[in-house]
Amino acid sequence: MPKENTAPEREMCPGCPYRAPLAAMNRLWLRACSGGGCSYLGGMRPFMAVEEAAGAGKAVSALSRRLAAGAKRTELIALLPASEIDAAALDELKSCGGIALAVGPQSPAWLCAGADTAFAEASAFDTAAIAAALRSALSGADAAVVYCRGECAKKAAPGGAKFKIAGDYCRRCGACSRLGCPAITASRPPVIDAERCAGCGVCAQLCPCGAIREA
């Protein structure tokens, strides 16, 4: 669990851009030092992926300290808002050779290019693409930034169609429930609340039996 809460929210909103990145992290058994914004929510259920909530602007420093203390580069990364990627953070990231997973609407591509830091970009709502970018970064030996492009759900929803669960196809496996989306009920079979669904489609990507479809 995180050591420090840095934002007032207590659950991820439907359509939160951190949900798919955290799902990709769990798929790869990655843990993180979190930065500001809502990144610390990844230390709560259902993800439990944040080991240390370092606070705004401190995720890379925390990662550097942990790696120097013996943490494995392939198991611990920095999770932070993309707005916290600056020249100082990139210098520290390069020094420790770590990986930063940055989420938000502001791309740090030009900063990474100027700092000669490996950079990859994916939609914050595409779990498979994020996992692929992380695998590529993990397979290398140098510092890397994986940028997940997405706006806060409170400012702008992903804009996709609403989704529903086809009860005849649902196997009640609980995969969608493990996303912690408030739009998905805990009932069996689960139901997607159409009024709360933001249309991000992350649940449909992770459903193993194809039961989640556009409404």
Side-chain angles (χ1 to χ4, degrees):
M1 285 293 291
K3 297 178 181 178
E4 172 190 353
N5 287 347
T6 57
E9 291 81 0
R10 289 296 179 267
E11 68 177 8
M12 290 185 185
C13 301
C16 177
Y18 282 97
R19 183 167 281 110
L22 285 161
M25 285 177 56
N26 275 1
R27 180 182 294 183
L28 300 176
W29 296 95
L30 289 171
R31 294 297 177 261
C33 299
S34 74
C38 292
S39 63
Y40 88 98
L41 290 173
M44 299 179 181
R45 295 186 184 279
F47 295 107
M48 306 293 288
V50 171
E51 289 190 356
E52 179 177 349
K58 299 178 181 178
V60 174
S61 294
L63 174 65
S64 178
R65 170 173 48 78
R66 295 284 297 275
L67 293 178
K72 294 183 178 180
R73 175 185 180 275
T74 54
E75 296 178 358
L76 187 68
I77 66 175
L79 175 67
L80 67 166
S83 59
E84 292 182 10
I85 296 290
D86 56 19
L90 290 176
D91 284 345
E92 193 157 21
L93 193 68
K94 290 182 69 175
S95 295
C96 70
I99 297 168
L101 185 59
V103 182
Q106 302 147 317
S107 174
W110 66 278
L111 282 169
C112 294
D116 194 25
T117 303
F119 177 83
E121 179 174 341
S123 166
F125 307 102
D126 189 335
T127 307
I130 297 167
L134 282 170
R135 285 193 191 96
S136 179
L138 291 166
S139 67
D142 299 325
V145 173
V146 175
Y147 167 57
C148 301
R149 181 183 65 260
E151 178 64 275
C152 171
K154 290 184 177 180
K155 297 179 180 178
K162 302 287 186 176
F163 285 80
K164 65 179 180 180
I165 297 175
D168 292 344
Y169 290 85
C170 178
R171 298 175 185 171
R172 298 166 174 77
C173 67
C176 58
S177 299
R178 288 193 289 272
L179 287 172
C181 179
I184 302 175
T185 69
S187 60
R188 288 290 180 268
V191 175
I192 296 177
D193 184 338
E195 292 187 0
R196 302 194 72 183
C197 177
C200 68
V202 175
C203 57
Q205 296 170 32
L206 299 184
C207 177
C209 50
I212 301 180
R213 308 167 181 183
E214 291 187 6

